[in-house]
Each structure stands twice: as structure tokens, then as C-alpha cells.
Amino acid sequence: MDKRQVNMSTMISRSISFVALLLSGIYSYQVQAKECYFDKINTSTVSAGTLVVNNYNPSSTTPVLLGTLSAGEYGHITCNTGNDGSDFYGRSTATSGTQYDSYTSTSGSTKYSYNRVFFPTSIPGIYYNIYIANSINATYTAYIPSNTSWTREIDNAAEGGFPVGLYIEVWQRGVVSSIGNGEAHPVINGEVGRFKAGNEDVSSQQVVATVNASSFTVKFATPTCNLSVSPTTIDFGDVGNDKPRKTFTLKNSNCVNASGVTLKLTSTKAAYDNSGLSILANTTTGTSAAGGRGVAVSYEGSSRQYLSANDTNSSVSIDFGSIVTAKDITMAGLLTCTSASNNSTCDDYTPGAFTAAGTISATYK
């Protein structure tokens, strides 16, 4: 009986030793350290092509994502055993004209919150940000933060490596009052931010975002309106030596991205008034035609501006103040003199029939 007890004791002892060894193995695995870093880094300036914006609300004050461009692969994340850590970090290196908002990461077990930065473009109200992500499935997304110090952005638990790319998000972040020539480009020329993995601060293991005016283009629809004239004919009636002025309206309708217009005047027949302005001349011929008279065309804005017919250097530029969908412009025709005048009357003219025609062209911005 005693012998059996001794054998049992030995068996229990061995079981306990086995469990202890098993626990020791589990414990050793759990505390194994990991470090990650970027390699195979693309050091070229960002080149992401063109984003065409077909629909947006220029008067919106709510931030709206207009689209995303890919700049391609910019490196590879590699993870090994080590002590430098694996989380993603980012920092901004440009702050001029920027905006920011609060963002919470969507990757990793711990969701870090930080402010992501938006950089200006050549069109006020249009901004962009840059983020790095797994270029295979867009996971592990981290934006350039507004902070110029290293900011932890992703709790990286990836066991294996994967390629990473840079991406451009284009945003409307305020009222767009003008699109200029219809294209937006980055206005900052140079480095705007960088990313790293782990705590090791080695420049050769960091992905750097560098931009210039050619890095990408945001293309908006060409500014345009449907242009019509009301009335299409001005009837001065029967006049003597007086100089009547009558108004008409240029009606701009169904406008797209139009924030202003430049007007020019052409005519198949023009003459000069007594001040040297090219005016619309009488197209009626024969013995019944009036002489010494013509029509001067003007924009009736806060100050009157005349258009000189067939003069490539003569134009009137009108700012609408914002992007509009419709705009009426008040114009006028003045039946004036091609001969001597005392400013209020035409003193040397030939009575008769008078007809004149002109074409107003419009270039929108």
C-alpha cells in the first residue's frame, strides 16, 4: 500500500511539471516584441493625375469630399521581432494656409483620434489631404496630421508585410466664389508631411509626401452661360439733333461655374465718333441714308464703360461677386455723332434712315 502511494505521488509531480512547462511556453510567446518599418520607399514627388468634378454646390459651407486620386505605391511595411514598435505615426511639415478637422482611425484595436490637415489649392475653398494606406485593400489608413510633431495614428497589429500607397482626397471646405481658369492645383511647393512605423526615427525608413503645382489637377466644368439680348432691337424713333440713350439687357441664364464675364463688341460696319471711339455705323445706303450719326454701346455699371467696336484692346470685365446660375447685365446704346458735337446735340448730320448692328461676345470666368 505504501508503494502505491509513492508511485502516485511521482505521477502527480510529473503532471505538475508538465503544466508548469506549458504555462511557461505560453507566457514566453505573449511577451515577444515586434517592430515594423517602411522600406522599398518611393522618393519621387507625388503625381496623381486629374480629378474631374462634374457636380458640386459652390455656395456650400459644409465640407464635402469631391473625390480621391491615387499617387501609386510609395513603400512596403516590413515587420520583424524587435523593440521599436509597430504603430503608424505621421507629422505635418507645412502649415501655410491649412485647415484641419478631427479624425478617429478605423484600424487596430485602439482607435486613435487626431487632427488631419487640409492643404490649400489654387482655388479658394478647394483643399486636399494626403493619406497612406495598404495599397492592396485600403486598410491601415493614416492621414497627414496637423501636428508638426510625430503623432500616433494607427495601432498596427499586422503580422506580415504589405505595400503602402499615397492617396489624395480633394475637398470643398467653404464657399467657392470663383474657379478662375477652371483648374485647381497645389499651391505649396515641397514637402508637406511624412509617415513612419514604430519608434525608430530613421529618415531612410520614412515615407515623405512632396508636392508641386503639377502633382494633380482638379478640373471643373468650363464657366459658361446661355446669353441672350432683350430687346434684340432698339428703336430710337424719330430724332433730330439730340443724342438719345436707350438701355437693353444682356441676360445670362443656365450658368455653370460662372463668376464673371468679359464683353467685346464687333460690327460689320463701324465708324469713329468725334472723341475717337469706334461706334456702330449706319448700314443703310443710298440717298435716303442718314449721315453723321452712329451708336455707342456701353455697360451701365457703377460707372459707365464704353465698348469700342472691332477693337481687340477694348473690353469690359464684370465681376458677378460669386458663382451664379443667372445674371442680368444692363447695357445701353447712345445715338451719337460722327461729326461736330457740343456734347448734348449733334450739330452736323444728314437726316434720313438709320440702321446699325453689332455683336456682343462674352467670355466667362
Side-chain angles (χ1 to χ4, degrees):
M1 186 179 243
D2 291 340
K3 188 174 182 180
R4 288 181 187 174
Q5 287 177 345
V6 170
N7 287 341
M8 257 182 135
S9 223
T10 302
M11 290 175 65
I12 292 171
S13 174
R14 287 176 180 172
S15 297
I16 292 171
S17 297
F18 174 76
V19 171
L21 288 171
L22 180 62
L23 289 174
S24 175
I26 294 173
Y27 177 79
S28 175
Y29 177 80
Q30 288 178 334
V31 299
Q32 191 172 31
K34 181 179 70 173
E35 64 180 21
C36 297
Y37 58 92
F38 291 121
D39 61 3
K40 302 177 184 177
I41 292 172
N42 178 357
T43 60
S44 62
T45 299
V46 167
S47 180
T50 299
L51 174 69
V52 177
V53 178
N54 293 314
N55 186 30
Y56 78 111
N57 178 6
S59 62
S60 175
T61 57
T62 302
V64 177
L65 175 62
L66 300 179
T68 303
L69 294 167
S70 172
E73 192 169 308
Y74 264 75
H76 188 275
I77 187 73
T78 297
C79 296
N80 297 310
T81 301
N83 298 315
D84 287 334
S86 59
D87 291 353
F88 282 20
Y89 294 78
R91 71 182 183 94
S92 177
T93 54
T95 58
S96 178
T98 59
Q99 295 186 357
Y100 65 87
D101 70 2
S102 179
Y103 178 78
T104 301
S105 65
T106 58
S107 302
S109 57
T110 301
K111 312 301 182 187
Y112 294 114
S113 295
Y114 57 94
N115 291 330
R116 58 182 177 178
V117 68
F118 295 85
F119 302 102
T121 72
S122 54
I123 295 181
I126 303 299
Y127 291 79
Y128 69 97
N129 58 30
I130 298 178
Y131 69 86
I132 194 170
N134 183 328
S135 58
I136 296 176
N137 55 19
T139 56
Y140 294 96
T141 299
Y143 290 86
I144 295 178
S146 62
N147 200 336
T148 56
S149 299
W150 286 115
T151 302
R152 181 177 289 179
E153 298 180 313
I154 293 180
D155 178 13
N156 176 24
E159 293 300 330
F162 52 83
V164 293
L166 290 182
Y167 300 84
I168 311 293
E169 285 185 345
V170 178
W171 289 74
Q172 179 187 352
R173 292 182 57 82
V175 173
V176 178
S177 58
S178 172
I179 62 166
N181 66 355
E183 293 185 354
H185 302 273
V187 295
I188 297 174
N189 186 22
E191 181 184 327
V192 293
R194 53 180 58 204
F195 300 95
K196 70 173 183 176
N199 294 322
E200 186 64 39
D201 197 7
V202 178
S203 295
S204 62
Q205 295 177 355
Q206 296 170 12
V207 175
V208 180
T210 303
V211 299
N212 58 31
S214 301
S215 286
F216 64 87
T217 299
V218 185
K219 191 172 183 61
F220 293 84
T222 302
T224 187
C225 294
N226 292 336
L227 179 65
S228 61
V229 183
S230 179
T232 56
T233 301
I234 298 174
D235 187 356
F236 288 106
D238 294 329
V239 297
N241 66 346
D242 54 328
K243 298 164 66 175
R245 186 188 306 274
K246 289 201 170 184
T247 61
F248 61 96
T249 302
L250 293 181
K251 303 185 76 65
N252 301 275
S253 60
N254 298 320
C255 298
V256 175
N257 288 333
S259 61
V261 67
T262 297
L263 304 176
K264 285 182 172 290
L265 176 66
T266 57
S267 177
T268 57
K269 189 174 183 181
Y272 290 99
D273 70 2
N274 59 315
S275 67
L277 179 71
S278 182
I279 61 177
L280 309 182
N282 190 3
T283 57
T284 301
T285 59
T287 57
S288 64
R293 305 300 291 266
V295 176
V297 178
S298 62
Y299 163 56
E300 300 295 290
S302 56
S303 61
R304 180 174 291 139
Q305 299 178 64
Y306 285 98
L307 286 167
S308 187
N310 301 331
D311 184 349
T312 57
N313 295 318
S314 175
S315 64
V316 171
S317 294
I318 303 166
D319 189 355
F320 297 160
S322 63
I323 293 177
V324 300
T325 56
K327 186 73 173 182
D328 287 349
I329 299 173
T330 302
M331 306 290 291
L334 172 69
L335 186 60
T336 187
C337 324
T338 60
S339 55
S341 169
N342 65 5
N343 294 325
S344 61
T345 60
C346 294
D347 301 327
D348 183 14
Y349 74 97
T350 302
F354 180 89
T355 304
T359 300
I360 296 175
S361 62
T363 302
Y364 295 93
K365 66 173 186 175

